Amino acid sequence: MITAAQMRAARALLGIDQRQLAERAGISVPTVQRMEASIDVVRGNVESLMRLLAALESAGIELINEGAASIDGGRGVRLKTRAKPPEDRTGRSSARGSKARSLP
């Protein structure tokens, strides 16, 4: 299925808002809003979910399940299971106690 985060990311990749997605899928804006407000996997009427998935697919969105490979290899984004904080030049994590330096 699709998660709320995937749904928001798909809209961002397409450059459309909730209203435009609702129009493409033939569902209401409040339905899109409820779907995107889901905590993880989108919940909703099966017909609405199928319409949403079909609209995203026809717009060129490929949903990639966790651990799956992209079929077409096009551009996209994927959330890593564990994101590490970036390191500074010394090799230390910049998330640990970094202090901002003031300019003269």
Side-chain angles (χ1 to χ4, degrees):
M1 250 322 124
I2 184 173
T3 67
Q6 284 176 310
M7 197 170 154
R8 290 187 300 271
R11 277 195 314 102
L13 287 170
L14 294 172
I16 61 174
D17 60 20
Q18 290 177 331
R19 181 189 53 79
Q20 291 168 309
L21 178 57
E23 288 174 1
R24 288 179 183 214
I27 58 179
S28 70
V29 174
T31 297
V32 171
Q33 291 170 335
R34 278 192 305 274
M35 288 176 170
E36 287 192 1
S38 298
I39 294 180
D40 188 27
V41 175
V42 170
R43 305 247 185 260
N45 175 299
V46 173
E47 183 179 343
S48 296
L49 285 169
M50 296 309 291
R51 286 177 176 226
L52 173 83
L53 293 171
L56 292 175
E57 185 176 325
S58 70
I61 296 296
E62 176 188 0
L63 296 174
I64 306 170
N65 291 322
E66 191 170 333
S70 172
I71 297 168
D72 293 331
R75 291 183 183 186
V77 295
R78 172 178 240 160
L79 184 64
K80 293 182 181 181
T81 54
R82 291 179 226 198
K84 294 197 292 189
E87 295 180 352
D88 64 14
R89 292 181 203 198
T90 64
R92 291 181 291 182
S93 170
S94 60
R96 286 188 280 151
S98 62
K99 295 180 183 175
R101 293 184 349 190
S102 60
L103 296 174

